[in-house]
Amino acid sequence: MTAAPHSSLFPQAPDSADAVLEGLDPEQREVATALRGPVCVLAGAGTGKTRAITHRIAYGVRAGILPPSSVLAVTFTNRAAGEMRGRLRQLGAQGVQARTFHSAALRQLQYFWPKAVGGSMPRLVDRKIQLVADAAAACRIRLDRGELRDATAEIEWSKVTQTVPADYALAAAKAGRETPRDPAEIAQLYAAYEDLKRHRSVIDFEDVLLLTVAVLQDRHDIADQVRSQYQHFVVDEYQDVSPLQQRLLELWLGDREDLCVVGDASQTIYSFTGATPDHLLDFRARHPGATVVKLVRDYRSTPQVVRLANGLLAQARGRAADHRLELVSQRPPGPEPEFTDHPDEPAEAESTARRIHDLIAAGVPAAGIAVLFRTNSQSETYEQALADVGVPYQLRGAERFFDRPEVRKAGVALRGAARFGVNDSLLDDAVDLPSQVRAVLSGEGWTPQPPAGSGAVRERWESLAALVNLAQDFAAARPGATLGDLVAELDERAGAQHAPTVQGVTLASLHSAKGLEWDVVFLVGVAEGMIPITYARTDEQIEEERRLLYVGVTRARERLHISWALSRSPGGRASRRPSRFLDGLRPGSGAGGAGRATAGGAGGVERGLTARRSGPEPLPRRAQRTPARCRVCGRTLTEAGEMKLMRCEDCPSDMDEGLYERLREWRADQAQRSGQPAFCVFTDKTLMAIAESVPDDDRELARIPGVGLRKLRRYGADVLALCAGREPAGGADDD
C-alpha cells in the first residue's frame, strides 16, 4: 500500500530553515531574508504576498533569528489571520501571534485593564446598530433602516479617524463625505451614542482600539511591557490601515524599526471606512532606511486576465495610480476575457446562470466559480436564476460557516463521538478517520449523493459535505490522526472563522471578494451608474471605483466574463452603456489601454537610504513617533495634505513665497523635460512643505512627506540648491 499523498491544505513542514526558502522567487526570497529594520513589500494582486511574509516569519523562527513569541503579525480579517496561523503552523513556526488589529488590542486591553483602570472591563457589544437606534430615539431623530445603517457607518468612520462629535461636521466636509442626514444631526446622534454607551457600561469595537491607544499612551510601564513582549511586527494589507490603527502600531513599535508592511495601493477599496494608502505610500519617507521589495510576478491569473487588469490601471489617475505595479503573468495563456451585453438585468442573470450550469456539466467545480457584483442588492436576481437551473450557491457575507445550525450540530455530534466513540454502534464499521466522520454525519443528514434541486436542504448538505472533505484532507496529511484531533482542528478553525470550502458557486459583492480567487469569474452589472456607482462624484471616488473593478478582474484565475444590461427591466429603454472603465479595453471601444509609464511598474528591490549613502555620517534613528499635530494650533492632524504641511489648512503659513515660486518654476521645467505632469515631480503640497521648512540637507529634506528616496536621489541636489538661494544644476540623473 502506498502512502496517501499529502493534501495541499495540510502539507508537511520543511525540515530546515533553508528548506523554508525553497520554491520562493527572487523577490519573495528577498522578503523572507530581510529580517532586520523596516521593510515595505509592494505586492500586486496574485503575486504571493501571504506566501512571502509567512515564509519570512517561518524562516526567521526556524533560523533562530526571531523568537516566535516576540513576533506579532497583524491583518484585517479573522479569516486572513486564521489562514496565516495555519500556514505558519505548516511551516513549523508555532507560537507566533497572528491576529487582527482588534483581536490583538482586545487581548492586551483585557489583560491590562485591572492594572490600568481597575475593576472589570466594560462589556463588548458585537453589533452597535441597536445602540445607535436607541440614541436616535433619545435625540428624537427618526431614521429609516438605510439611514440607521449609514449613520452607524458614520460613527465608525469618525472613531477610526479619531474625530470627536464636536468636530464631525467639519471633518466630514473636509473628507467630502456624503452624510445620510444633516451633519449637525449626525454629530448630535454620535454624542448621544457615546453617552448611552457610558450609561450602559459597554464599549464597541472601535473603543477597543481607542482605549488600547489611551492605555499605551498614558501608562509608559504598560507600553514598555508590551514592547518587551513583541519586538518584530508584520502588517498585511497595509493600504487599508486607518489613522487609529496606524497610531496603535506606532505605540506598539516605540522607537524601534523591526517592521515589515505589505500592501498594494491599487487595491485600496475601503476608504469609506477610514482606510488610507497614505501610510503605505509614505513608508519610505517615515523610514528612510527601509528596504522596498516589489512583487509583480502574478501566479494567479493568465496573461489575458493580467493584460486587462494592467489596462484598467493604465488609465488611472492620482497618487495610488502613480505607484501602480504592472503585473507579469507566470501562467500559461488562457482564453481572452469575454464582454457581453444583455437587453435587461433578468436576461443577464439568466444567461449567466445557464453558462455556469454548462461549465459545471463540463467538469468545472462549482466552488471554482464566482459571480461578483457591485452592490448586495444585485444578489437576489442571481440567487433566483441559479436556483432555477439547479446550481448550488453560497452567498458570501451571509451567515458565517461555523455559525450555521447544521455545522454547530455536526460539531456537537463529532465531539461526542470523539469522547464516547467506542460505545457508538455507528462507528462499528468505520476503519479510518474519514469513514468515522461520514458515519457520524450521516446521522445529521449527510448522504453520499447530494439531494436533488437547491434551496435550504441542498445548502445544509453542502455544509456537511465540506466537513467530510476537510476530514479526508486532514487524514491524508496526518496519518493516524484521531477524531479528537479533527475536533481540535475544527475548534481552531471556528475561532479563526477559517471555513472549509463549500461546493457551491459563490455570490459576492466586489468588496467582500477581496483576498479570494476563483477559476472562473463572472463580473456582472458592469455599467455606468453601477461601476462607477452613481454617488461617486469626486476624482478620488471615481478612482476608487476603478480600483474596485480591478480587484474584481484580478480574482479570476483562468476565465473572466464581464457583462452589463442595457436596461433595468424587460421592455425598458436601452439607455445604459458599459462602464467607462472598459473604454479602450473591450472590443470596439477605441484604442486599447496600453498603459502609461510609471515609476512603480517594475518589480525588484530598493535598498534603504542608509545603505546607499556614501558619506561617513549615518542617518539618525527616528525619535519615538507621536501623533502628527499642527505646529501652529496643536490640533491632531489626520488629512494627508495637512500632515505634509504639519499644520491645518486654515492655520497661518510662514512659507517663503519667493522660494515657493522658484520651486514651481523649476518643477515646470523638470516636468517639460521628462514629458510628465508637474505633480509627478512634486505635488503643490510637497512644494509648500519644502518652502515652509526650508531644509538644509538631504536628511531634513527626506523627512518631508512626499519626497521619498527616489525623488531625493533625482531632485534633492536641485531642491537644496534652491533652498540655499543658489541656482540648481539644471538636470536630474535618471533612476
Side-chain angles (χ1 to χ4, degrees), residues 169-456:
L170 180 59
K174 278 192 171 184
R177 293 186 73 82
E178 294 262 349
T179 57
R181 297 288 287 264
D182 182 270
E185 281 189 310
I186 298 295
Q188 180 188 5
L189 176 60
Y190 178 16
Y193 169 79
E194 292 298 310
D195 289 341
L196 191 60
K197 284 198 292 103
R198 284 190 289 271
H199 177 71
R200 296 183 182 179
S201 297
V202 297
I203 59 175
D204 60 28
F205 277 103
E206 289 72 41
D207 290 329
V208 170
L209 299 183
L210 286 163
L211 290 168
T212 306
V213 165
V215 168
L216 295 177
Q217 283 182 161
D218 296 343
R219 292 291 300 268
H220 297 294
D221 56 331
I222 292 176
D224 289 341
Q225 191 172 340
V226 171
R227 291 168 192 157
S228 68
Q229 169 71 47
Y230 298 115
Q231 286 113 40
H232 307 275
F233 297 85
V234 177
V235 184
D236 194 11
E237 303 289 3
Y238 194 55
Q239 77 278 352
D240 292 332
V241 165
S242 70
L244 179 56
Q245 290 165 332
Q246 175 66 19
R247 180 60 189 139
L248 178 59
L249 177 62
E250 290 170 351
L251 288 165
W252 282 340
L253 273 168
D255 61 356
R256 300 164 301 172
E257 290 202 313
D258 280 336
L259 169 66
C260 175
V261 301
V262 189
D264 179 9
S266 296
Q267 296 188 69
T268 304
I269 58 173
Y270 299 111
S271 66
F272 60 91
T273 67
T276 170
D278 288 341
H279 305 299
L280 175 67
L281 299 178
D282 292 337
F283 190 83
R284 176 62 70 80
R286 295 196 313 276
H287 303 267
T291 295
V292 176
V293 184
K294 297 178 182 179
L295 304 182
V296 298
R297 302 174 199 249
D298 188 321
Y299 298 96
R300 175 188 299 159
S301 304
T302 63
Q304 288 75 12
V305 172
V306 166
R307 188 181 305 121
L308 178 60
N310 286 337
L312 272 173
L313 291 189
Q315 303 177 36
R317 296 292 182 267
R319 193 174 182 216
D322 290 338
H323 292 79
R324 73 181 182 94
L325 298 167
E326 187 155 356
L327 302 177
V328 181
S329 176
Q330 307 297 299
R331 296 197 56 188
E336 290 289 340
E338 296 185 15
F339 301 86
T340 313
D341 61 17
H342 300 275
D344 50 65
E345 289 182 0
E348 183 182 9
E350 290 165 10
S351 174
T352 301
R354 286 195 304 271
R355 298 190 71 169
I356 290 173
H357 179 274
D358 293 344
L359 285 169
I360 294 172
V364 178
I369 304 173
V371 179
L372 307 182
F373 33 75
R374 175 62 180 83
T375 67
N376 288 318
S377 62
Q378 295 168 269
S379 165
E380 186 176 354
T381 304
Y382 288 88
E383 292 178 56
Q384 185 60 55
L386 290 171
D388 288 345
V389 296
V391 170
Y393 64 85
Q394 57 172 331
L395 187 60
R396 182 160 182 81
E399 188 176 34
R400 297 189 295 188
F401 180 83
F402 288 103
D403 291 340
R404 297 176 186 176
E406 65 272 17
V407 175
R408 290 201 302 268
K409 286 183 63 180
V412 171
L414 290 170
R415 190 171 287 104
R419 188 175 301 172
F420 306 112
V422 292
N423 299 317
D424 192 335
S425 59
L426 273 175
L427 303 183
D428 287 348
D429 298 326
V431 295
D432 55 15
L433 177 58
S435 60
Q436 289 176 338
V437 172
R438 288 193 294 268
V440 172
L441 296 187
S442 66
E444 302 300 320
W446 178 82
T447 57
Q449 296 299 320
S454 57

